[in-house]
């Protein structure tokens, strides 16, 4: 009895793990008719999620969807793609953030043939900027799905009460923020992202409008130029002087948007693709009081960024690439792009922007601001390097120094050295 | 033929089976432990060896990309980094020691209060244990909302008493103490649990004898209860210090990558995570983790030596 029990237990201990492994293997083998799609939490994702049953019916394929927050998505890719995993077929990624690094590491499949094979789907219809951002060494590695420009969100009622018109220049914006914050003790004149890394993308439009940039054509750091220093001082100064009380240096868009939509700020500069958050009556206390305007002009004019914020790519390790392409082709078709755009997601297709139905759901002032920014915009909102995360931390340093009332010019000089050192090794 | 071969084969099989059973019974200690040992090997030893290997290479961008063996280059880089690494070591030590001391003192006080039976004891125990069952990320998110500088409940409450709003998590000087407070809130109950288990197993006679000899409550605690409880206290210190050293969830959930814009809560764990997942510097990150591992091993060695000495 004793002997038998030892043997029985051993048998169970040895067989169980293998049994479990065998089950996993069987599941993998069946997966060819299933497209595994990983998407970020976004308004675009909400729309596509609702439409997936249509795709499944048309194609006969099954879609297995994983949805994650931006940071978690990025971490998941780092783990899975690094391990060469084939668990992801279609991946939603940020061409300007991870695009270069992913393409360089050969994580993204070459889609050049796919995009040029179907004239009805029409790759030429995609705007030039987004296409450039999704191309690496002359190979198309992604299809853009969402575009963004920075615009000015403002409170119509507060401006009216103060007898002010919508600011068109940086000076007017500062003067208006000052007046409104002085007139209303519980309302900040201005709010925007404050976290060192998160703020970089929104700060970029200020930088360009002051005549600066992160680096020049030869790859040299330019964040300590007089223009850049003026931009740092202006952006940080607005938040330091007229920002929310106890302004933190941790705010990304959800926190800054919350302050604006709770009615605690007069002006807010942010991506246009997030406008639904401000206009949603269930989430926003000021839904019917929000106005939109083109990005205010600095000494170099109004130069907001105009970028593709998200794209769809195919994991190069996936064994299901043809079906993955079918999903991308459907999700980025003219019809789906129009639907997404009508639901509030600015898309990358020229034909959809040309179609009056494409902007029929947008507030008139926002549509005008978008049209203006699309014409004057700059094609990047962060340094175009491989290790973008590290670069953002370095160039973001003077922003938080300025927000906390420190010497941002000195911080820019220090960061400039660090950034140049980084650029020399970012290969 | 068949019958004869069967009759020949049967005794052999039984003999073999019995020989194996004998062998299995003789080595059952190892046989039972072997699945666990295989898993430990796969899940602990292999990653550790792999991390050690990575720490000796210049791996960055992708782990699969070709990398060169650079010896202790990463260790030199890390150990000479006074901007991020050493401040992170300091924060890790500050976080661990402060959280540990407060948790032990408060935990001991609560355990002593709960030691003797009283009315409603069960309810109080359940209430005290509640923070333990919450996920650290959820705890972090909850406190982040409470400590929001403008809309949070903490500052509203201060306002009722006329106290000005505090920056809590958003202040450079206050962020780390605030996260330590969260750790104390969540983990003191575990200390209470361990100490209470130790207290209830103490013999009552010694306490009674001290009482008869006229010792007051303080004297009884310091000269009778505490020395008897020493082993339990060291177990609690050991468990809590390991946990506090490797705290990550609360810090990441409240301040994000880099431990905030000024790295104000960046401990060694947060630093290593950022190096891997934000910077893709796998060689450097592995070096930090190996150094961190050695620090923990060293710390545990000192504590366990003390414990042995006490025994």
């Amino acid at each position: 009895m004793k002997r038998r029990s030892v043997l029985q237990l051993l048998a169970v201990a040895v067989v169980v793990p293998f049994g479990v492994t065998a089950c996993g293997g069987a599941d993998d083998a069946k997966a060819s008719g299933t497209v595994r799609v990983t998407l970020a939490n976004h308004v675009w994702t909400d729309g596509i999620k609702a439409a997936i049953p249509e795709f499944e019916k048309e194609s006969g394929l099954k879609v297995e969807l994983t949805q994650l927050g931006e940071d978690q998505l990025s971490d998941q890719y780092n783990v899975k793609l690094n391990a060469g995993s084939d668990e992801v077929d279609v991946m939603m990624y940020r061409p300007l953030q991870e695009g270069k690094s992913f393409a360089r590491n050969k994580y993204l499949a070459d889609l050049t043939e796919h995009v040029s094979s179907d004239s009805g789907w029409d790759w030429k219809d995609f705007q030039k900027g987004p296409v450039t951002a999704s191309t690496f060494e002359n190979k198309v590695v992604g299809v853009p799905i969402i575009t963004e420009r920075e615009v000015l969100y403002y409170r119509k009622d507060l401006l009216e009460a103060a007898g002010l018109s919508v600011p068109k220049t940086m000076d007017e914006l500062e003067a208006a923020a000052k007046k409104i914050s002085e007139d209303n003790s519980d309302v900040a004149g201005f709010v925007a992202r404050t976290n060192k890394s998160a703020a970089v993308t929104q700060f970029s439009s200020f930088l360009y409008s002051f005549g600066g940039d992160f680096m020049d054509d030869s790859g040299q750091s330019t964040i300590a130029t007089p223009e850049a220093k003026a931009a740092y001082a202006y952006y940080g100064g607005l938040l330091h002087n007229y920002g929310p009380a106890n302004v933190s240096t941790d705010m990304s868009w959800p926190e800054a948007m919350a302050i604006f939509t709770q009615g605690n700020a007069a002006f807010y500069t942010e991506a246009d693709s997030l406008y639904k958050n401000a206009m949603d009556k269930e989430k926003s206390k000021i839904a019917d009081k929000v106005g939109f305007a083109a990005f205010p002009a600095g000494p170099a004019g109004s130069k907001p960024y105009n970028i593709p914020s998200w794209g769809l790519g195919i994991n190069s390790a996936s064994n299901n690439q043809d079906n993955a392409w079918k999903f991308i082709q459907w999700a980025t078709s003219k019809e789906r792009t129009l639907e997404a755009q009508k639901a509030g997601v600015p898309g990358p297709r020229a034909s959809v922007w040309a179609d009056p139905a494409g902007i029929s759901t947008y507030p008139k002032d926002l549509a005008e601001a978008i049209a203006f920014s699309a014409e004057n915009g700059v094609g990047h909102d962060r340094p175009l390097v491989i290790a973008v995360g590290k670069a953002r931390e370095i160039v973001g340093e003077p922003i938080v120094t300025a927000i906390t009332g420190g010497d941002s010019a000195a911080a820019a000089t220090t960061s400039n050295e660090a950034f140049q050192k980084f650029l020399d090794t970012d290969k | 033929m068949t019958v004869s071969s069967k009759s020949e084969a049967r005794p052999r099989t039984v003999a073999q089976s019995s020989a194996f059973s004998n062998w299995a019974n003789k080595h059952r200690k190892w046989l039972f432990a072997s699945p666990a040992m295989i898993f430990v090997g796969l899940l602990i030893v292999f990653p550790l060896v792999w991390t050690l290997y990575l720490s000796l290479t210049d791996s960055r961008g992708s782990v699969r990309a070709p990398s060169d063996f650079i010896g202790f280059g990463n260790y030199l880089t890390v150990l000479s980094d006074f901007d991020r690494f050493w401040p992170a070591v300091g924060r890790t030590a500050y976080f661990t020691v402060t959280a540990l001391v407060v948790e032990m003192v408060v935990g001991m006080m609560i355990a002593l209060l709960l030691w003797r039976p009283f009315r409603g004891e069960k309810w109080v125990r359940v209430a005290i244990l509640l923070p333990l069952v919450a996920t650290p990320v959820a705890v972090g998110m909850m406190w982040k909302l409470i400590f929001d500088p403008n809309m949070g409940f903490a500052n509203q409450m201060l306002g009722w008493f006329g106290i000005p709003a505090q920056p809590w998590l958003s202040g450079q000087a206050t962020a780390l103490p605030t996260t330590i407070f969260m750790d104390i809130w969540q983990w003191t109950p575990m200390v209470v649990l361990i100490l209470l288990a130790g207290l209830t197993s103490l013999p009552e006679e010694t306490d009674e004898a001290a009482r008869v000899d006229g010792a007051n409550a303080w004297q009884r605690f310091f000269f009778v209860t505490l020395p008897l409880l020493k082993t339990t206290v060291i177990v609690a210190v050991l468990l809590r210090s390991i946990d506090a050293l490797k705290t990550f969830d609360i810090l990441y959930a409240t301040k994000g990558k880099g431990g905030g814009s000024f790295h104000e809560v960046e401990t060694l764990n947060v630093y290593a995570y950022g190096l891997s997942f934000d910077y893709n510097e796998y060689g450097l990150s592995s070096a930090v983790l190996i150094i961190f591992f050695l620090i923990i091993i060293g710390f545990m060695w000192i504590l366990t030596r003390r414990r042995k000495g006490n025994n």
Side-chain angles (χ1 to χ4, degrees):
Chain A
M1 191 64 192
K2 203 175 168 190
R3 279 176 194 163
R4 195 181 294 163
S5 58
V6 171
L7 284 171
Q8 277 172 347
L9 277 167
L10 257 180
V12 172
V14 171
V15 167
V16 165
F18 286 111
V20 172
T21 318
C23 289
D27 279 352
D28 286 346
K30 273 188 264 167
S32 57
T34 302
V35 186
R36 286 162 297 186
V37 181
T38 306
L39 303 177
N41 293 336
H42 197 281
V43 194
W44 182 87
T45 302
D46 298 340
I48 215 79
K49 207 159 84 177
I52 279 176
E54 286 171 30
F55 171 72
E56 289 182 324
K57 210 173 155 191
E58 275 172 32
S59 63
L61 296 166
K62 196 180 166 331
V63 175
E64 205 176 279
L65 184 68
T66 308
Q67 202 178 327
L68 296 162
E70 276 181 41
D71 283 344
Q72 286 70 34
L73 187 81
S74 189
D75 293 350
Q76 277 263 328
Y77 288 152
N78 261 326
V79 173
K80 289 189 173 168
L81 303 178
N82 246 319
S85 164
D86 62 353
E87 280 173 35
V88 180
D89 297 323
V90 177
M91 44 199 271
M92 182 166 169
Y93 77 106
R94 294 170 290 184
L96 292 175
Q97 182 76 15
E98 296 116 353
K100 254 191 175 179
S101 155
F102 282 5
R104 185 170 152 273
N105 294 330
K106 299 189 169 58
Y107 293 161
L108 296 169
D110 181 1
L111 306 179
T112 315
E113 263 183 46
H114 283 304
V115 296
S116 48
S117 63
D118 182 357
S119 57
W121 176 75
D122 198 4
W123 178 233
K124 288 192 181 117
D125 186 27
F126 285 79
Q127 293 167 344
K128 202 178 152 222
V131 165
T132 309
S134 314
T135 307
F136 182 76
E137 291 175 350
N138 298 320
K139 286 179 189 157
V140 177
V141 291
V143 178
I145 49 175
I146 300 157
T147 62
E148 273 177 12
R149 289 136 298 266
E150 188 162 3
V151 294
L152 180 69
Y153 292 55
Y154 66 91
R155 283 273 300 277
K156 289 179 191 168
D157 56 330
L158 291 174
L159 248 73
E160 206 176 301
L164 295 166
S165 57
V166 183
K168 286 197 166 59
T169 64
M170 296 285 178
D171 291 340
E172 285 174 18
L173 174 64
E174 187 169 1
K178 184 171 188 278
K179 180 162 176 31
I180 293 175
S181 65
E182 283 169 358
D183 290 355
N184 307 272
S185 61
D186 53 343
V187 176
F190 178 78
V191 70
R193 301 184 193 185
T194 58
N195 175 274
K196 181 160 69 174
S197 183
V200 167
T201 51
Q202 309 312 303
F203 164 73
S204 70
S205 299
F206 288 84
L207 181 63
Y208 310 147
S209 301
F210 270 85
D213 204 329
F214 296 108
M215 49 207 261
D216 61 20
D217 295 338
S218 56
Q220 299 296 304
S221 167
T222 54
I223 59 166
T225 57
E227 293 83 6
K229 283 181 177 172
Y232 280 124
Y234 180 85
Y235 184 84
L238 270 186
L239 284 155
H240 180 71
N241 299 322
Y242 317 115
N246 305 308
V247 66
S248 88
T249 50
D250 292 332
M251 292 197 291
S252 184
W253 75 263
E255 292 84 10
M257 180 68 84
I259 290 179
F260 183 70
T261 53
Q262 290 304 302
N264 297 331
F267 294 104
Y268 174 36
T269 50
E270 187 53 83
D272 52 11
S273 62
L274 298 171
Y275 87 93
K276 280 266 171 180
N277 293 279
M279 305 213 63
D280 183 343
K281 284 190 175 146
E282 282 179 18
K283 290 183 199 161
S284 172
K285 281 187 186 169
I286 45 131
D288 52 351
K289 295 169 188 157
V290 182
F292 300 91
F295 193 77
S302 168
K303 288 192 172 176
Y305 63 75
N306 176 26
I307 53 117
S309 49
W310 290 95
L312 292 179
I314 295 177
N315 174 12
S316 61
S318 159
N319 298 315
N320 204 13
Q321 295 194 14
D322 287 338
N323 288 332
W325 171 250
K326 280 182 194 161
F327 178 84
I328 293 183
Q329 207 175 14
W330 166 78
T332 56
S333 64
K334 284 179 187 169
E335 298 75 27
R336 281 269 12 118
T337 307
L338 177 62
E339 286 305 313
Q341 196 154 308
K342 276 159 75 178
V345 184
R349 279 186 177 271
S351 65
V352 174
W353 283 108
D355 182 350
I359 50 165
S360 59
T361 57
Y362 284 64
K364 194 170 165 277
D365 51 357
L366 179 63
E368 283 167 9
I370 291 175
F372 176 83
S373 308
E375 226 168 85
N376 300 285
V378 177
H380 58 280
D381 63 349
R382 64 202 84 188
L384 292 175
V385 292
I386 296 163
V388 179
K390 192 171 185 178
R392 283 174 76 153
E393 288 230 333
I394 300 171
V395 301
E397 192 81 49
I399 301 178
V400 287
T401 307
I403 292 171
T404 49
D407 184 352
S408 63
T413 307
T414 313
S415 293
N416 189 57
E417 274 173 41
F419 191 44
Q420 189 56 54
K421 211 181 270 178
F422 162 83
L423 288 172
D424 293 340
T425 55
D426 183 61
K427 286 173 180 108
Chain B
M1 263 309 261
T2 324
V3 174
S4 72
S5 76
K6 258 189 186 174
S7 60
E8 275 169 23
R10 199 172 290 152
R12 211 180 299 148
T13 316
V14 170
Q16 275 176 348
S17 152
S18 120
F20 179 70
S21 285
N22 278 334
W23 181 85
N25 275 316
K26 212 170 171 184
H27 299 91
R28 65 175 181 276
K29 194 167 77 178
W30 291 106
L31 280 171
F32 275 127
S34 59
M37 282 162 72
I38 292 169
F39 277 106
V40 166
L42 282 176
L43 299 176
I44 298 175
V45 178
F46 171 72
L48 206 60
V49 173
W50 180 246
T51 308
L52 184 65
Y53 162 74
L54 276 181
S55 74
L56 301 171
T57 70
D58 63 353
S59 173
R60 59 203 287 248
S62 168
V63 178
R64 284 187 293 152
S67 54
D68 290 326
F69 185 81
I70 55 162
F72 290 98
N74 287 325
Y75 291 89
L76 285 176
T77 310
V78 167
L79 293 171
S80 56
D81 173 10
F82 293 93
D83 289 334
R84 300 281 290 270
F85 176 76
W86 285 109
V89 172
R91 281 184 215 106
T92 310
Y94 175 57
F95 186 99
T96 308
V97 172
T98 316
L100 191 66
V101 169
V102 178
E103 281 164 23
M104 290 310 296
V105 173
V106 177
M108 179 65 87
M109 280 157 51
I110 298 173
L112 287 171
L113 285 174
L114 295 177
W115 186 13
R116 306 288 179 215
F118 61 93
R119 251 182 100 177
E121 181 192 349
K122 269 186 191 169
W123 292 105
V124 174
R125 284 189 188 204
V126 168
I128 282 176
L129 292 179
L130 274 179
L132 263 186
V133 293
T135 322
V137 173
V139 169
M141 297 307 287
M142 178 187 83
W143 284 107
K144 192 180 174 185
L145 287 174
I146 294 173
F147 284 131
D148 185 280
N150 294 298
M151 293 176 277
F153 177 69
N155 276 348
Q156 272 184 28
M157 211 168 68
L158 291 184
W160 297 338
F161 301 102
I163 304 169
Q166 299 299 313
W168 304 115
L169 281 166
S170 55
Q172 279 182 67
T174 50
L176 194 57
T178 308
T179 54
I180 292 174
F181 165 80
M182 293 177 201
D183 191 82
I184 292 166
W185 179 84
Q186 179 160 38
W187 295 110
T188 303
M190 196 180 95
V191 177
V192 174
L193 211 63
I194 298 169
L195 294 181
L196 204 54
L199 281 172
T200 44
S201 66
L202 289 186
E204 290 200 8
E205 294 80 7
T206 41
D207 194 58
E208 285 296 321
R211 202 186 286 261
V212 171
D213 287 345
N216 65 26
W218 285 109
Q219 287 168 328
R220 289 203 312 277
F221 172 70
F222 280 111
F223 300 112
V224 179
T225 314
L226 202 55
L228 285 172
L229 207 60
K230 216 168 202 171
T231 319
T232 315
V233 169
I234 291 176
V235 168
V237 167
L238 206 66
L239 290 173
R240 261 321 292 149
S241 52
I242 297 173
D243 266 354
L245 266 172
K246 58 191 181 73
T247 303
F248 175 77
D249 324 42
I250 285 180
L251 305 174
Y252 188 74
T254 49
K255 298 290 285 182
K257 280 176 183 167
S261 284
F262 294 95
H263 311 299
E264 50 268 47
V265 304
E266 187 175 67
T267 58
L268 275 177
N269 242 350
V270 178
Y271 179 47
Y273 182 86
L275 280 176
S276 265
F277 288 93
D278 207 16
Y279 295 178
N280 301 119
E281 298 269 13
Y282 302 110
L284 272 182
S285 166
S286 302
V288 172
L289 286 171
I290 292 291
I291 295 171
F292 191 24
F293 179 72
L294 293 176
I295 291 174
I296 294 178
I297 294 283
F299 189 69
M300 292 308 118
W301 183 70
I302 294 168
L303 270 181
T304 43
R305 262 176 68 95
R306 259 200 78 99
R307 195 180 159 198
K308 271 182 194 160
N310 279 314
N311 283 343

